[in-house]
């Protein structure tokens, strides 16, 4: 096991979730996906889920204070001592500065930020054709990566579903929000000297290899 504090930055549909899962297995460190945490809270009907519901349905961001509180609780859990893969947080400059402060207070910092870049036309195609496994979260695509049996996960036989915010209109909105609110983080981390830019077009394996060489670590 290696210590690694990694942030994957990228638009919705850029493959952050898929690559986080690959790297999580490779390095044995947890994947911290705020989108997954919110969807779980929504499914469980918790106060957090109720707070986030309307924002998520509209494809806009949940307020910073809610997200910062959520991440502060998660990143201080014992399973994060050897590192983690951040997927979907931070998404705004205030979230990034809050994360820096959080880490600094425990004498820590991010090791590397990988920005996965995919053209917008590809992102819309990926999002609108995406199907996910309800049980294990595996990701499929009607055209590019269909499951063997229709509506069923290849690895765990769980049922496949489409995210309600993957409709073309909401996906467009999410991309617009990404460009406006999240893309400035690339410059933020470039200034810190920890940004790596990765071409996100290619097979899962190709992109994994690009990430591994950018990170400069092997498991
Ligand atoms: P994702 O699964 O990362 O695409 O996130 C789905 C939705 O959850 C987003 O469109 C936002 O509404 C919300 N969300 C997830 N992470 C964050 C975050 N760090 N800040 C604000 N909203 C978030």
């Amino acid at each position: 096991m290696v210590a690694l504090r990694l942030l994957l930055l990228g638009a919705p549909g850029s493959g952050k979730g898929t690559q986080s899962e690959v790297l999580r297995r490779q390095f044995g460190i947890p994947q911290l996906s705020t989108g997954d945490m919110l969807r779980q809270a929504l499914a469980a009907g918790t106060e957090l889920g109720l707070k986030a519901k309307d924002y998520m349905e509209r494809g806009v961001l949940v307020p910073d204070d809610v997200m910062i509180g959520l991440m502060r609780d998660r990143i201080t859990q014992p399973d994060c001592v050897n590192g983690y893969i951040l997927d979907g947080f931070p998404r705004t400059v205030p979230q990034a500065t809050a994360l820096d402060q959080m880490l600094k207070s425990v004498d820590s910092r991010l090791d590397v930020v990988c920005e996965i870049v995919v053209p917008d036309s590809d992102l819309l195609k990926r999002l609108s054709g995406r199907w996910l496994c309800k049980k294990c979260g595996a990701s499929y695509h009607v055209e590019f990566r269909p499951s063997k049996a229709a509506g069923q996960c290849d690895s765990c036989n769980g049922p496949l579903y489409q995210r309600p915010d993957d409709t073309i209109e909401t996906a467009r909105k999410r991309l617009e929000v990404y460009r406006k609110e999240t893309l400035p983080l690339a410059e933020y981390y470039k200034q810190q000297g920890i940004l790596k830019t990765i071409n996100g077009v290619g097979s899962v394996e190709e992109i994994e290899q690009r990430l591994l060489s950018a990170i400069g670590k092997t498991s």
Side-chain angles (χ1 to χ4, degrees):
M1 195 197 280
V2 289
L4 174 65
R5 289 166 296 263
L6 167 71
L7 162 62
L8 292 186
L9 200 60
S14 59
K16 296 188 302 294
T18 303
Q19 291 299 331
S20 304
E21 177 59 23
V22 170
L23 297 176
R24 177 187 74 76
R25 274 194 243 124
Q26 177 109 355
F27 290 116
I29 51 177
Q31 165 196 13
L32 310 187
S33 158
T34 41
D36 285 351
M37 291 178 210
L38 293 176
R39 278 183 289 279
Q40 278 158 15
L42 201 63
T46 65
E47 197 184 327
L48 170 68
L50 293 176
K51 245 188 227 168
K53 185 174 190 286
D54 172 60
Y55 299 100
M56 293 174 80
E57 281 173 358
R58 286 189 288 129
V60 298
L61 297 183
V62 175
D64 284 337
D65 58 335
V66 175
M67 299 312 299
I68 291 165
L70 180 66
M71 188 48 76
R72 182 172 285 122
D73 289 347
R74 182 63 188 91
I75 212 165
T76 47
Q77 297 294 313
D79 64 333
C80 292
V81 290
N82 283 314
Y84 38 77
I85 301 154
L86 293 177
D87 163 12
F89 181 97
R91 249 176 160 101
T92 63
V93 171
Q95 289 181 20
T97 50
L99 175 67
D100 278 351
Q101 282 160 12
M102 248 181 250
L103 297 180
K104 204 168 166 202
S105 72
V106 290
D107 221 8
S108 175
R109 54 165 292 166
L110 290 178
D111 296 313
V112 58
V113 175
C114 292
E115 181 196 11
I116 308 178
V117 181
V118 174
D120 271 13
S121 52
D122 288 20
L123 293 171
L124 281 174
K125 263 189 248 156
R126 286 189 190 186
L127 290 171
S128 58
R130 177 160 82 168
W131 286 78
L132 300 165
C133 175
K134 203 155 211 150
K135 233 162 109 189
C136 74
S139 179
Y140 297 88
H141 190 280
V142 276
E143 201 182 323
F144 312 131
R145 191 172 177 246
S147 58
K148 288 191 187 105
Q152 207 177 53
C153 178
D154 292 352
S155 40
C156 77
N157 293 333
L160 302 186
Y161 77 105
Q162 278 193 297
R163 271 174 53 172
D165 58 351
D166 276 349
T167 59
I168 200 93
E169 301 78 37
T170 315
R172 273 212 184 92
K173 178 73 195 168
R174 287 160 63 208
L175 292 183
E176 183 193 316
V177 169
Y178 177 78
R179 266 192 300 272
K180 190 160 160 253
E181 309 267 2
T182 311
L183 206 51
L185 293 184
E187 187 54 37
Y188 178 90
Y189 290 114
K190 193 171 171 192
Q191 298 282 332
Q192 293 191 3
I194 54 172
L195 182 77
K196 308 274 180 181
T197 304
I198 312 291
N199 171 7
V201 179
S203 68
V204 172
E205 294 74 22
E206 281 165 345
I207 296 157
E208 180 195 356
Q209 285 313 313
R210 288 174 203 152
L211 281 168
L212 289 175
S213 60
I215 295 165
K217 285 190 199 259
T218 46
S219 52

